[in-house]
């Protein structure tokens, strides 16, 4: 297993900054996701790991070996492309075994490794077929087997599920996770799909404008975003702006965050912040995920607002509700098939511990 380390890596194309001073460590055997919108630099970063693009500055290490200047064929990486990139004239076996042929392995060893790779991706009976005879999901499995058959130090996946329909994406996502856990190969996976990253990543690195904005486990990025951009990118959120009026001493420990009070146009809001630099009087934004907003609940609550329902959307297991206070449009979720009727009055509540207070700026 290989540990990847990037130190102040940058790449420019003319005046365009594709990657801006990225420092990052991917641990041995980790399934690490590079997440972000189109043009944020994630594919450029992946291509630098593969050796297809050289950084303008900074260093890339596989374990203790500096990979700057090392050509792609000597980096011992396997790569899976969005387009599958299969040779149409070759069979499944021919596509998968190509890397073994280039390495000059004998026929018996090639056949052994080929069969192992096909078993790993569950394509044992399709070795004689050509890509045109396969479904999109099967073609992606072939591409994955081709990358893994050479037993690479690092596996690089560039939006591997982007060309598949929703059902196949869900299926292949689980297969990639199973295979990665079985092989324990250090894997860097590029995607713009936040649900994909949240579902299977060990850790996520969120990129914006070529810069690494936040790195951490999926749950941490979702529940404790470092900036409003992270919060808005990783799922829906209610985003209130306001002014910090009070902040408590974090005597109960950093893991709980610091409780604070914010003055907003909707009224006072109590929440938590992990930002040490915030002080009373600062402009802030308050992030509340729709699933944390409760309806019609009695009892004591930190935050409570009366709103009027404007829209309801049945989504199967939940109903998405849009409700308005005097100055804000709230999103919330109700479990089950029933929800409040449009124009009805509801009470919205959420706990301070489920409400994150961030600096008002973008933080990048």
């Amino acid at each position: 297993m290989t540990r990847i380390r990037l130190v102040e890596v940058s790449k420019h194309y003319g005046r365009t900054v594709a990657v801006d001073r990225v420092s990052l460590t991917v641990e041995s055997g980790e399934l690490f996701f590079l997440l972000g919108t189109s043009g944020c630099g994630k594919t450029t970063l992946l291509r630098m790991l593969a050796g297809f693009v050289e950084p303008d500055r900074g260093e890339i290490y596989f374990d203790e070996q500096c990979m700057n200047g090392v050509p792609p064929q000597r980096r011992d990486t396997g790569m899976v492309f969005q387009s599958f990139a299969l040779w149409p004239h070759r069979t499944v076996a021919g596509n998968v075994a190509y890397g073994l042929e280039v390495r000059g392995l004998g026929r018996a060893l090639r056949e052994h490794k080929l069969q192992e790779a096909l078993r790993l991706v569950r394509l044992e009976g399709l070795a004689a077929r050509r890509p045109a005879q396969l479904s999109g999901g099967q073609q992606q499995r072939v591409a994955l087997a081709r990358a893994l058959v050479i037993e690479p130090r690092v596996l690089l996946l560039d939006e591997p599920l982007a060309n598949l329909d929703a059902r196949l994406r869900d299926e292949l996502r689980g297969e990639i996770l199973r295979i990665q856990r079985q092989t324990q190969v250090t894997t860097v996976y590029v995607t713009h799909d936040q649900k994909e990253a949240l579902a299977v990543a060990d850790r996520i690195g969120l990129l914006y404008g070529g810069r690494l904005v936040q790195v951490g486990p999926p749950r941490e990025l979702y529940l404790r975003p470092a900036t409003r951009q992270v919060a808005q990118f990783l799922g829906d959120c209610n985003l209130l702006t306001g002014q910090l009026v009070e902040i408590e001493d974090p005597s109960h420990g950093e893991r709980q965050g610091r409780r604070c009070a914010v003055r907003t146009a909707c009224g006072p809001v109590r929440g938590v912040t992990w930002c040490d630099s915030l002080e009373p009087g600062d402009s802030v934004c308050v992030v509340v995920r729709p699933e944390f907003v409760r309806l019609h609940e009695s009892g004591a609550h930190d935050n409570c607002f009366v709103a009027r329902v404007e829209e309801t959307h049945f989504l199967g297991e939940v109903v998405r509700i849009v409700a308005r206070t005097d100055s804000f449009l709230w999103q919330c979720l109700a479990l089950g098939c029933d929800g409040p009727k449009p124009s009805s009055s509801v009470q919205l509540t959420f706990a301070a511990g489920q409400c994150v207070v961030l600096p008002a700026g973008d933080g990048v």
Side-chain angles (χ1 to χ4, degrees), residues 195-250:
K195 290 184 179 179
E196 202 169 289
L198 291 171
V200 300
D202 291 321
R203 287 190 305 147
I204 297 170
L206 186 60
L207 286 158
Y208 181 84
R211 297 187 65 185
L212 199 58
V213 182
Q214 187 173 358
V215 178
R219 183 178 293 271
E220 180 180 302
L221 266 66
Y222 186 78
L223 297 178
R224 291 174 51 177
T227 70
R228 63 187 296 169
Q229 279 171 325
V230 176
Q232 289 176 298
F233 189 79
L234 287 174
D236 296 328
C237 62
N238 297 291
L239 195 63
L240 289 162
T241 57
Q243 185 179 47
L244 190 66
V245 295
E246 179 188 347
I247 192 162
E248 293 182 4
D249 190 310

Side-chain angles (χ1 to χ4, degrees), residues 173-198:
R173 182 187 304 157
E175 283 294 284
I176 288 172
L177 178 60
R178 174 187 65 80
I179 291 166
Q180 196 276 334
R181 292 294 185 256
Q182 187 171 334
T183 60
Q184 287 292 294
V185 62
T186 304
T187 302
V188 180
Y189 188 127
V190 158
T191 185
H192 66 275
D193 187 334
Q194 61 266 39
K195 290 184 179 179
E196 202 169 289
L198 291 171

Side-chain angles (χ1 to χ4, degrees), residues 247-286:
I247 192 162
E248 293 182 4
D249 190 310
S251 56
H252 52 285
E254 186 182 350
R255 288 190 64 187
Q256 301 298 321
R258 295 190 291 170
R259 286 179 66 97
C260 54
V262 179
R263 183 187 300 119
T264 76
C266 292
V269 172
R270 297 201 69 83
V272 295
T273 184
W274 286 272
C275 181
D276 293 334
S277 63
L278 284 178
E279 298 291 343
D282 288 349
S283 295
V284 294
C285 63
V286 179

Side-chain angles (χ1 to χ4, degrees), residues 129-144:
R129 292 192 184 181
R130 298 190 188 276
Q133 298 172 297
L134 303 175
S135 68
Q138 289 169 335
Q139 290 183 53
Q140 192 58 286
R141 288 170 189 260
V142 174
L144 190 57

